[in-house]
Amino acid sequence: NSMALLERFVKNDFVDTMRISRYLLRDLPHHRLGDLVNYYNLPDIGAHRVLCDCMQTHYVLCGLRSDAIDKYGTIKRFQKACK
């Protein structure tokens, strides 16, 4: 409970790379972080370590963003297409 631990509310906004990749990369058989790391030819810096997972997720998200812009022109157009 964030109120008990931090004495403040933590809003958990998130970006789900799996959900985005399922929309953009429909031909991939799986959309797990490791699969996306391989798809974008990112270096294997280790798995299931907090910092490594965060860094890989960031780079995957950059790739997904680039793919969305290539396909839809802008992020706003991509967002509208996903609704």
Side-chain angles (χ1 to χ4, degrees):
N1 181 322
S2 65
M3 287 301 289
L5 294 172
L6 304 173
E7 297 180 11
R8 62 183 260 215
F9 177 75
V10 176
K11 186 176 177 183
N12 285 330
D13 285 338
F14 65 94
V15 175
D16 188 346
T17 55
M18 184 178 285
R19 197 175 296 170
I20 295 168
S21 68
R22 283 181 176 157
Y23 194 85
L24 282 172
L25 309 173
R26 294 173 190 241
D27 293 337
L28 288 183
H30 303 287
H31 297 85
R32 299 168 294 208
L33 180 58
D35 301 314
L36 298 172
V37 166
N38 289 333
Y39 176 81
Y40 286 110
N41 296 313
L42 299 172
D44 182 10
I45 58 174
H48 304 297
R49 297 286 178 252
V50 175
L51 183 57
C52 296
D53 285 359
C54 288
M55 290 172 61
Q56 288 178 330
T57 300
H58 170 75
Y59 293 124
V60 164
L61 185 59
C62 290
L64 290 168
R65 182 180 190 278
S66 179
D67 287 350
I69 291 170
D70 288 347
K71 187 171 182 178
Y72 292 92
T74 67
I75 293 299
K76 288 212 181 274
R77 286 185 190 150
F78 170 67
Q79 290 171 328
K80 285 182 183 180
C82 291
K83 290 185 180 181

Coordinates of all heavy atoms in Angstrom, one line a residue:
N1 N 0.8 -1.2 0.0 CA 0.0 0.0 0.0 C 0.9 1.2 0.0 O 1.6 1.5 0.9 CB -0.9 -0.1 1.2 CG -1.9 1.1 1.3 OD1 -1.5 2.2 1.0 ND2 -3.1 0.8 1.8
S2 N 0.8 2.0 -1.0 CA 1.7 3.2 -1.2 C 1.4 4.3 -0.1 O 2.3 5.0 0.3 CB 1.5 3.8 -2.6 OG 0.2 4.4 -2.8
M3 N 0.2 4.4 0.4 CA -0.2 5.3 1.4 C 0.6 5.0 2.7 O 1.1 5.8 3.4 CB -1.7 5.4 1.7 CG -2.4 6.1 0.6 SD -1.9 7.9 0.3 CE -2.5 8.6 1.8
A4 N 0.6 3.7 3.0 CA 1.3 3.2 4.3 C 2.8 3.4 4.2 O 3.4 3.8 5.1 CB 0.9 1.8 4.6
L5 N 3.3 3.1 3.0 CA 4.8 3.1 2.8 C 5.3 4.5 2.5 O 6.4 4.9 3.0 CB 5.2 2.1 1.8 CG 4.9 0.6 2.0 CD1 5.2 -0.2 0.8 CD2 5.8 0.2 3.2
L6 N 4.6 5.2 1.6 CA 5.2 6.5 1.1 C 4.4 7.7 1.6 O 4.8 8.8 1.3 CB 5.2 6.4 -0.4 CG 5.9 5.3 -1.1 CD1 5.7 5.3 -2.6 CD2 7.4 5.4 -0.7
E7 N 3.3 7.5 2.3 CA 2.4 8.5 2.7 C 1.9 9.4 1.5 O 1.7 10.6 1.6 CB 3.1 9.4 3.8 CG 3.4 8.7 5.0 CD 4.1 9.5 6.1 OE1 4.1 10.8 5.9 OE2 4.6 8.9 7.0
R8 N 1.7 8.7 0.4 CA 1.2 9.4 -0.8 C 0.6 8.4 -1.7 O 1.0 7.2 -1.7 CB 2.2 10.3 -1.5 CG 3.4 9.5 -2.0 CD 4.4 10.5 -2.6 NE 4.2 10.5 -4.1 CZ 5.2 10.6 -4.9 NH1 6.4 10.8 -4.5 NH2 4.9 10.6 -6.2
F9 N -0.3 8.8 -2.6 CA -0.9 7.9 -3.6 C 0.0 7.8 -4.8 O 0.6 8.8 -5.2 CB -2.3 8.4 -4.0 CG -2.9 7.6 -5.1 CD1 -3.5 6.4 -4.8 CD2 -3.0 8.1 -6.4 CE1 -4.0 5.7 -5.8 CE2 -3.6 7.4 -7.4 CZ -4.1 6.2 -7.1
V10 N 0.3 6.6 -5.3 CA 1.1 6.5 -6.5 C 0.1 6.0 -7.6 O -0.5 5.0 -7.5 CB 2.2 5.4 -6.3 CG1 2.9 5.1 -7.6 CG2 3.1 5.8 -5.2
K11 N 0.0 6.8 -8.6 CA -0.8 6.5 -9.8 C 0.0 5.6 -10.7 O 1.1 5.9 -11.1 CB -1.2 7.7 -10.5 CG -2.2 7.5 -11.6 CD -2.6 8.8 -12.2 CE -3.5 8.5 -13.4 NZ -3.9 9.7 -14.1
N12 N -0.5 4.4 -11.0 CA 0.3 3.4 -11.8 C -0.1 3.5 -13.2 O -0.6 2.6 -13.8 CB 0.0 2.0 -11.2 CG 0.8 1.7 -10.0 OD1 1.8 2.3 -9.7 ND2 0.2 0.9 -9.1
D13 N 0.2 4.6 -13.9 CA 0.1 4.7 -15.3 C 1.2 3.8 -15.9 O 2.3 3.7 -15.4 CB 0.3 6.1 -15.8 CG -0.9 7.0 -15.6 OD1 -2.0 6.4 -15.4 OD2 -0.7 8.2 -15.6
F14 N 0.9 3.1 -17.0 CA 1.9 2.2 -17.6 C 1.8 2.2 -19.1 O 0.7 2.5 -19.6 CB 1.8 0.8 -17.0 CG 0.5 0.1 -17.3 CD1 0.4 -0.7 -18.4 CD2 -0.6 0.3 -16.6 CE1 -0.8 -1.3 -18.8 CE2 -1.8 -0.3 -16.9 CZ -1.9 -1.1 -18.0
V15 N 2.8 1.7 -19.7 CA 2.8 1.4 -21.1 C 3.1 -0.1 -21.3 O 4.1 -0.6 -20.8 CB 3.9 2.2 -21.9 CG1 3.9 1.9 -23.3 CG2 3.6 3.7 -21.7
D16 N 2.2 -0.8 -22.0 CA 2.3 -2.2 -22.1 C 2.9 -2.6 -23.5 O 2.2 -2.5 -24.5 CB 0.9 -2.9 -21.9 CG 1.0 -4.4 -21.9 OD1 2.0 -5.0 -22.2 OD2 -0.1 -4.9 -21.5
T17 N 4.2 -2.9 -23.5 CA 4.9 -3.2 -24.7 C 4.3 -4.4 -25.4 O 4.3 -4.5 -26.6 CB 6.4 -3.4 -24.5 OG1 6.6 -4.4 -23.5 CG2 7.0 -2.1 -24.1
M18 N 3.8 -5.4 -24.6 CA 3.2 -6.6 -25.2 C 1.9 -6.2 -25.9 O 1.7 -6.7 -27.1 CB 2.9 -7.6 -24.1 CG 2.3 -8.9 -24.6 SD 2.0 -10.1 -23.4 CE 3.6 -10.7 -23.0
R19 N 1.1 -5.4 -25.4 CA -0.2 -5.0 -26.0 C 0.1 -4.2 -27.3 O -0.5 -4.4 -28.3 CB -1.0 -4.2 -25.1 CG -2.4 -4.1 -25.5 CD -3.3 -3.4 -24.4 NE -3.3 -4.1 -23.2 CZ -3.8 -3.7 -22.0 NH1 -4.3 -2.5 -22.0 NH2 -3.8 -4.5 -21.0
I20 N 1.1 -3.3 -27.2 CA 1.4 -2.5 -28.4 C 2.0 -3.4 -29.5 O 1.7 -3.2 -30.6 CB 2.4 -1.4 -28.0 CG1 1.7 -0.4 -27.0 CG2 2.9 -0.6 -29.2 CD1 2.7 0.6 -26.4
S21 N 2.9 -4.3 -29.1 CA 3.6 -5.1 -30.1 C 2.6 -6.1 -30.7 O 2.7 -6.4 -31.9 CB 4.7 -5.9 -29.5 OG 4.3 -6.8 -28.6
R22 N 1.6 -6.5 -30.0 CA 0.6 -7.4 -30.6 C -0.2 -6.7 -31.7 O -0.6 -7.3 -32.7 CB -0.4 -7.9 -29.5 CG 0.2 -9.0 -28.7 CD -0.8 -9.5 -27.7 NE -0.2 -10.6 -26.9 CZ -0.6 -11.0 -25.7 NH1 -1.6 -10.3 -25.1 NH2 -0.1 -12.0 -25.1
Y23 N -0.3 -5.4 -31.5 CA -1.0 -4.6 -32.6 C -0.1 -4.3 -33.7 O -0.6 -4.4 -34.9 CB -1.6 -3.3 -31.9 CG -2.6 -2.6 -32.8 CD1 -3.9 -2.9 -32.8 CD2 -2.2 -1.6 -33.7 CE1 -4.8 -2.3 -33.6 CE2 -3.1 -1.0 -34.5 CZ -4.4 -1.3 -34.4 OH -5.3 -0.7 -35.3
L24 N 1.1 -3.9 -33.5 CA 2.0 -3.5 -34.5 C 2.7 -4.7 -35.2 O 3.0 -4.6 -36.4 CB 3.1 -2.6 -34.0 CG 2.7 -1.1 -33.7 CD1 3.9 -0.4 -33.0 CD2 2.4 -0.4 -35.0
L25 N 3.1 -5.7 -34.5 CA 3.9 -6.8 -35.0 C 3.1 -8.1 -35.0 O 3.4 -9.1 -34.3 CB 5.2 -6.9 -34.1 CG 6.0 -5.7 -33.9 CD1 7.1 -5.9 -32.9 CD2 6.5 -5.1 -35.2
R26 N 2.0 -8.1 -35.7 CA 1.1 -9.2 -35.7 C 1.7 -10.5 -36.2 O 1.2 -11.6 -35.9 CB -0.1 -8.9 -36.6 CG -0.9 -7.7 -35.9 CD -2.0 -7.3 -36.8 NE -2.6 -6.0 -36.3 CZ -3.9 -5.9 -36.0 NH1 -4.7 -6.9 -36.1 NH2 -4.3 -4.8 -35.5
D27 N 2.8 -10.5 -36.9 CA 3.4 -11.7 -37.5 C 4.3 -12.4 -36.5 O 4.6 -13.6 -36.7 CB 4.2 -11.4 -38.7 CG 3.3 -11.0 -39.9 OD1 2.1 -11.3 -39.9 OD2 3.8 -10.3 -40.8
L28 N 4.6 -11.8 -35.4 CA 5.4 -12.4 -34.4 C 4.6 -13.5 -33.6 O 3.5 -13.2 -33.2 CB 6.0 -11.4 -33.3 CG 7.0 -10.5 -33.8 CD1 7.5 -9.6 -32.6 CD2 8.2 -11.2 -34.3
P29 N 5.2 -14.7 -33.4 CA 4.4 -15.7 -32.7 C 4.2 -15.4 -31.2 O 3.2 -15.8 -30.6 CB 5.2 -17.0 -32.9 CG 6.6 -16.5 -33.3 CD 6.5 -15.2 -33.9
H30 N 5.2 -14.7 -30.6 CA 5.1 -14.3 -29.2 C 5.6 -12.9 -29.0 O 6.3 -12.3 -29.9 CB 6.0 -15.2 -28.4 CG 5.7 -16.7 -28.5 ND1 4.6 -17.3 -28.0 CD2 6.4 -17.6 -29.2 CE1 4.6 -18.5 -28.3 NE2 5.7 -18.8 -29.0
H31 N 5.1 -12.3 -28.0 CA 5.4 -10.8 -27.8 C 5.9 -10.6 -26.4 O 5.7 -9.5 -25.8 CB 4.1 -10.0 -28.0 CG 3.6 -10.1 -29.4 ND1 2.8 -11.1 -29.9 CD2 3.9 -9.3 -30.5 CE1 2.6 -11.0 -31.1 NE2 3.2 -9.9 -31.5
R32 N 6.6 -11.5 -25.8 CA 7.3 -11.3 -24.5 C 8.5 -10.4 -24.7 O 9.0 -10.2 -25.8 CB 7.7 -12.7 -24.0 CG 6.6 -13.6 -23.7 CD 7.1 -15.0 -23.5 NE 7.8 -15.5 -24.7 CZ 7.9 -16.8 -25.0 NH1 7.3 -17.7 -24.3 NH2 8.5 -17.1 -26.2
L33 N 9.0 -9.9 -23.6 CA 10.1 -8.9 -23.7 C 11.3 -9.5 -24.4 O 11.9 -8.9 -25.3 CB 10.5 -8.5 -22.3 CG 11.7 -7.5 -22.2 CD1 11.4 -6.2 -23.0 CD2 12.0 -7.2 -20.7
G34 N 11.6 -10.8 -24.1 CA 12.8 -11.4 -24.7 C 12.5 -11.6 -26.2 O 13.5 -11.4 -27.0
D35 N 11.3 -11.8 -26.6 CA 11.0 -12.0 -28.1 C 11.2 -10.6 -28.8 O 11.7 -10.5 -29.9 CB 9.6 -12.4 -28.3 CG 9.3 -13.8 -27.6 OD1 10.2 -14.7 -27.8 OD2 8.3 -13.9 -26.9
L36 N 10.7 -9.5 -28.1 CA 10.9 -8.2 -28.7 C 12.3 -7.7 -28.7 O 12.7 -7.1 -29.7 CB 10.0 -7.2 -27.9 CG 8.5 -7.5 -28.0 CD1 7.7 -6.6 -27.0 CD2 8.0 -7.4 -29.4
V37 N 13.1 -8.1 -27.7 CA 14.5 -7.8 -27.7 C 15.2 -8.5 -28.9 O 16.0 -7.8 -29.6 CB 15.2 -8.2 -26.4 CG1 16.7 -8.3 -26.4 CG2 14.7 -7.3 -25.2
N38 N 14.8 -9.7 -29.1 CA 15.4 -10.4 -30.3 C 14.9 -9.8 -31.6 O 15.7 -9.6 -32.5 CB 15.0 -11.9 -30.3 CG 15.7 -12.7 -29.2 OD1 16.8 -12.3 -28.8 ND2 15.1 -13.7 -28.7
Y39 N 13.6 -9.4 -31.7 CA 13.1 -8.8 -32.9 C 13.8 -7.5 -33.3 O 14.2 -7.3 -34.5 CB 11.6 -8.5 -32.7 CG 11.0 -7.8 -33.9 CD1 10.6 -8.5 -35.0 CD2 10.8 -6.4 -33.9 CE1 10.1 -7.9 -36.1 CE2 10.3 -5.8 -35.0 CZ 9.9 -6.5 -36.1 OH 9.4 -5.9 -37.2
Y40 N 14.2 -6.7 -32.3 CA 14.8 -5.4 -32.5 C 16.4 -5.6 -32.5 O 17.1 -4.6 -32.5 CB 14.4 -4.4 -31.5 CG 13.0 -3.9 -31.9 CD1 11.9 -4.2 -31.0 CD2 12.7 -3.1 -33.0 CE1 10.6 -3.8 -31.3 CE2 11.5 -2.7 -33.3 CZ 10.4 -3.0 -32.5 OH 9.1 -2.6 -32.8
N41 N 16.8 -6.8 -32.4 CA 18.3 -7.1 -32.4 C 19.0 -6.3 -31.3 O 20.1 -5.8 -31.6 CB 18.9 -6.8 -33.8 CG 18.4 -7.7 -34.9 OD1 18.3 -8.9 -34.7 ND2 18.0 -7.1 -36.0
L42 N 18.4 -6.3 -30.2 CA 19.0 -5.6 -29.0 C 20.0 -6.5 -28.3 O 19.8 -7.7 -28.3 CB 18.0 -5.1 -28.0 CG 17.0 -4.1 -28.6 CD1 15.8 -3.9 -27.6 CD2 17.6 -2.8 -29.0
P43 N 21.1 -6.0 -27.7 CA 22.0 -6.8 -27.0 C 21.4 -7.5 -25.8 O 20.5 -6.9 -25.2 CB 23.1 -5.9 -26.6 CG 22.5 -4.5 -26.6 CD 21.4 -4.5 -27.6
D44 N 21.8 -8.7 -25.6 CA 21.3 -9.4 -24.4 C 22.1 -9.0 -23.2 O 23.3 -9.4 -23.0 CB 21.4 -10.9 -24.6 CG 20.9 -11.8 -23.5 OD1 20.3 -11.2 -22.6 OD2 21.2 -13.0 -23.5
I45 N 21.5 -8.1 -22.4 CA 22.3 -7.6 -21.2 C 21.9 -8.3 -20.0 O 22.2 -7.9 -18.9 CB 22.1 -6.1 -21.1 CG1 20.6 -5.7 -21.0 CG2 22.7 -5.3 -22.3 CD1 20.3 -4.2 -20.7
G46 N 21.1 -9.3 -20.1 CA 20.7 -10.1 -18.9 C 19.2 -10.0 -18.8 O 18.6 -9.0 -19.1
A47 N 18.6 -11.0 -18.2 CA 17.1 -11.0 -18.1 C 16.7 -11.2 -16.6 O 17.5 -11.7 -15.8 CB 16.5 -12.2 -18.9
H48 N 15.6 -10.7 -16.3 CA 15.0 -10.8 -15.0 C 15.8 -10.1 -13.9 O 15.9 -10.6 -12.8 CB 14.7 -12.2 -14.7 CG 13.8 -12.9 -15.7 ND1 12.5 -12.4 -15.9 CD2 14.0 -13.9 -16.6 CE1 12.0 -13.1 -16.9 NE2 12.8 -14.0 -17.3
R49 N 16.5 -9.1 -14.3 CA 17.2 -8.2 -13.3 C 16.5 -6.8 -13.6 O 16.3 -6.4 -14.7 CB 18.7 -8.1 -13.6 CG 19.4 -9.4 -13.4 CD 19.5 -9.8 -11.9 NE 20.1 -11.0 -11.7 CZ 19.5 -12.1 -11.3 NH1 18.2 -12.1 -11.1 NH2 20.1 -13.2 -11.0
V50 N 16.2 -6.2 -12.5 CA 15.4 -4.9 -12.6 C 16.0 -3.9 -13.6 O 15.3 -3.5 -14.5 CB 15.2 -4.3 -11.2 CG1 14.5 -3.0 -11.3 CG2 14.5 -5.2 -10.3
L51 N 17.2 -3.6 -13.5 CA 17.8 -2.6 -14.3 C 17.8 -3.1 -15.8 O 17.5 -2.3 -16.7 CB 19.2 -2.2 -13.8 CG 19.9 -1.1 -14.6 CD1 19.0 0.2 -14.7 CD2 21.2 -0.8 -14.1
C52 N 18.2 -4.3 -16.0 CA 18.3 -4.9 -17.3 C 16.9 -4.9 -18.0 O 16.8 -4.5 -19.1 CB 18.9 -6.3 -17.3 SG 20.6 -6.4 -16.7
D53 N 15.9 -5.4 -17.3 CA 14.6 -5.4 -17.8 C 14.1 -4.0 -18.2 O 13.4 -3.8 -19.2 CB 13.6 -6.1 -16.9 CG 13.7 -7.6 -16.9 OD1 14.6 -8.1 -17.6 OD2 13.0 -8.2 -16.1
C54 N 14.4 -3.0 -17.3 CA 14.0 -1.6 -17.6 C 14.6 -1.1 -18.8 O 14.0 -0.4 -19.6 CB 14.3 -0.7 -16.3 SG 13.2 -1.0 -14.9
M55 N 15.9 -1.3 -18.9 CA 16.7 -0.8 -20.1 C 16.2 -1.5 -21.4 O 15.9 -0.8 -22.4 CB 18.2 -1.1 -19.9 CG 18.8 -0.2 -18.8 SD 20.5 -0.6 -18.4 CE 21.3 -0.3 -20.0
Q56 N 15.9 -2.8 -21.3 CA 15.5 -3.5 -22.5 C 14.1 -3.0 -22.9 O 13.8 -2.8 -24.1 CB 15.5 -5.0 -22.3 CG 16.9 -5.6 -22.3 CD 16.9 -7.1 -22.1 OE1 16.0 -7.6 -21.4 NE2 17.9 -7.7 -22.6
T57 N 13.2 -2.8 -21.9 CA 11.9 -2.3 -22.1 C 11.9 -0.9 -22.8 O 11.2 -0.6 -23.7 CB 11.0 -2.3 -20.8 OG1 11.0 -3.6 -20.3 CG2 9.6 -1.8 -21.1
H58 N 12.8 -0.1 -22.3 CA 12.9 1.2 -22.9 C 13.3 1.2 -24.4 O 12.7 1.8 -25.2 CB 14.0 2.0 -22.1 CG 14.4 3.3 -22.8 ND1 13.6 4.4 -22.8 CD2 15.5 3.6 -23.5 CE1 14.2 5.4 -23.5 NE2 15.3 4.9 -23.9
Y59 N 14.3 0.3 -24.7 CA 14.8 0.2 -26.1 C 13.7 -0.4 -26.9 O 13.5 0.0 -28.1 CB 16.1 -0.5 -26.1 CG 17.2 0.3 -25.5 CD1 18.0 -0.3 -24.5 CD2 17.5 1.6 -25.9 CE1 19.0 0.4 -23.9 CE2 18.5 2.3 -25.3 CZ 19.3 1.7 -24.3 OH 20.3 2.5 -23.8
V60 N 13.0 -1.4 -26.4 CA 11.9 -2.0 -27.2 C 10.8 -0.9 -27.4 O 10.3 -0.8 -28.6 CB 11.3 -3.2 -26.4 CG1 9.9 -3.6 -27.0 CG2 12.3 -4.4 -26.5
L61 N 10.5 -0.1 -26.4 CA 9.5 0.9 -26.6 C 9.9 1.9 -27.6 O 9.1 2.4 -28.5 CB 9.2 1.6 -25.3 CG 8.1 2.6 -25.3 CD1 6.8 2.0 -25.7 CD2 7.9 3.2 -23.9
C62 N 11.2 2.2 -27.7 CA 11.7 3.1 -28.7 C 11.5 2.5 -30.1 O 11.1 3.2 -31.1 CB 13.2 3.4 -28.5 SG 13.5 4.5 -27.1
G63 N 11.8 1.2 -30.2 CA 11.5 0.5 -31.5 C 10.1 0.5 -31.9 O 9.7 0.8 -33.1
L64 N 9.2 0.2 -30.9 CA 7.8 0.2 -31.2 C 7.3 1.6 -31.6 O 6.5 1.8 -32.5 CB 7.0 -0.3 -30.0 CG 7.2 -1.8 -29.6 CD1 6.6 -2.0 -28.2 CD2 6.5 -2.6 -30.7
R65 N 7.8 2.6 -30.9 CA 7.4 4.0 -31.3 C 7.8 4.3 -32.7 O 7.0 4.9 -33.5 CB 8.0 5.0 -30.3 CG 7.7 6.4 -30.5 CD 8.4 7.3 -29.5 NE 7.8 8.7 -29.5 CZ 8.2 9.6 -30.4 NH1 9.1 9.3 -31.3 NH2 7.7 10.8 -30.4
S66 N 9.0 4.0 -33.1 CA 9.5 4.2 -34.4 C 8.6 3.5 -35.4 O 8.3 4.0 -36.5 CB 11.0 3.8 -34.5 OG 11.4 4.0 -35.8
D67 N 8.3 2.2 -35.1 CA 7.5 1.4 -36.0 C 6.1 2.0 -36.2 O 5.5 2.1 -37.3 CB 7.3 0.0 -35.5 CG 8.6 -0.8 -35.8 OD1 9.5 -0.3 -36.4 OD2 8.7 -1.9 -35.2
A68 N 5.5 2.5 -35.1 CA 4.2 3.1 -35.1 C 4.2 4.4 -35.9 O 3.3 4.6 -36.7 CB 3.7 3.5 -33.7
I69 N 5.2 5.2 -35.8 CA 5.3 6.4 -36.6 C 5.5 6.1 -38.1 O 4.9 6.7 -39.0 CB 6.5 7.3 -36.1 CG1 6.0 7.9 -34.7 CG2 6.8 8.5 -37.1 CD1 7.2 8.6 -34.0
D70 N 6.4 5.1 -38.4 CA 6.6 4.7 -39.8 C 5.2 4.2 -40.4 O 5.0 4.5 -41.6 CB 7.6 3.5 -39.8 CG 9.0 4.0 -39.6 OD1 9.3 5.2 -39.6 OD2 9.9 3.1 -39.4
K71 N 4.4 3.5 -39.6 CA 3.2 2.9 -40.2 C 2.1 3.9 -40.2 O 1.3 3.9 -41.1 CB 2.8 1.7 -39.4 CG 1.7 0.9 -40.0 CD 1.5 -0.4 -39.2 CE 0.4 -1.2 -39.9 NZ 0.2 -2.5 -39.3
Y72 N 2.0 4.7 -39.2 CA 0.8 5.6 -39.0 C 1.1 7.1 -39.2 O 0.2 7.9 -39.2 CB 0.1 5.4 -37.7 CG -0.5 4.0 -37.6 CD1 0.2 2.9 -37.1 CD2 -1.8 3.8 -38.0 CE1 -0.3 1.6 -37.0 CE2 -2.3 2.5 -38.0 CZ -1.6 1.4 -37.5 OH -2.1 0.2 -37.4
G73 N 2.3 7.5 -39.3 CA 2.7 8.9 -39.5 C 2.9 9.6 -38.2 O 3.8 10.4 -38.1
T74 N 2.1 9.4 -37.2 CA 2.2 10.1 -35.9 C 1.7 9.1 -34.8 O 1.0 8.2 -35.1 CB 1.4 11.4 -35.8 OG1 0.0 11.0 -35.8 CG2 1.7 12.4 -36.9
I75 N 2.1 9.4 -33.6 CA 1.7 8.6 -32.5 C 0.2 8.8 -32.3 O -0.5 7.9 -31.9 CB 2.5 9.0 -31.2 CG1 3.9 8.5 -31.3 CG2 1.9 8.4 -30.0 CD1 4.1 7.1 -31.5
K76 N -0.3 10.0 -32.5 CA -1.8 10.3 -32.3 C -2.6 9.4 -33.3 O -3.6 8.9 -32.9 CB -2.0 11.8 -32.5 CG -1.6 12.6 -31.3 CD -2.5 13.8 -31.1 CE -2.0 14.7 -30.0 NZ -2.5 14.2 -28.7
R77 N -2.1 9.3 -34.5 CA -2.9 8.5 -35.5 C -2.8 7.0 -35.0 O -3.8 6.3 -35.2 CB -2.3 8.6 -36.9 CG -2.6 9.9 -37.5 CD -2.1 10.0 -38.9 NE -2.2 11.3 -39.5 CZ -1.4 11.8 -40.4 NH1 -0.4 11.1 -40.9 NH2 -1.6 13.0 -40.8
F78 N -1.7 6.6 -34.5 CA -1.6 5.2 -34.0 C -2.5 5.0 -32.9 O -3.2 4.0 -32.8 CB -0.1 4.9 -33.6 CG 0.0 3.6 -32.9 CD1 -0.2 2.4 -33.5 CD2 0.4 3.6 -31.5 CE1 -0.1 1.2 -32.9 CE2 0.5 2.4 -30.9 CZ 0.3 1.2 -31.5
Q79 N -2.6 5.9 -31.9 CA -3.5 5.8 -30.8 C -4.9 5.7 -31.3 O -5.7 4.9 -30.7 CB -3.3 7.0 -29.8 CG -2.0 7.0 -29.1 CD -1.7 8.2 -28.3 OE1 -2.1 9.3 -28.7 NE2 -1.0 8.1 -27.2
K80 N -5.3 6.5 -32.2 CA -6.7 6.5 -32.7 C -7.0 5.1 -33.4 O -8.1 4.6 -33.3 CB -6.9 7.6 -33.7 CG -7.1 9.0 -33.1 CD -7.3 10.0 -34.1 CE -7.4 11.4 -33.4 NZ -7.6 12.5 -34.4
A81 N -6.0 4.6 -34.1 CA -6.2 3.3 -34.8 C -6.4 2.2 -33.8 O -7.0 1.2 -34.1 CB -5.0 3.0 -35.7
C82 N -5.8 2.3 -32.6 CA -5.9 1.3 -31.6 C -7.2 1.2 -30.8 O -7.5 0.3 -30.1 CB -4.7 1.4 -30.6 SG -3.1 1.0 -31.3
K83 N -7.9 2.3 -30.9 CA -9.2 2.4 -30.2 C -10.3 1.5 -30.7 O -10.4 1.2 -31.8 CB -9.6 3.8 -30.0 CG -8.7 4.6 -29.1 CD -9.2 6.0 -28.9 CE -8.3 6.7 -28.0 NZ -8.7 8.1 -27.7

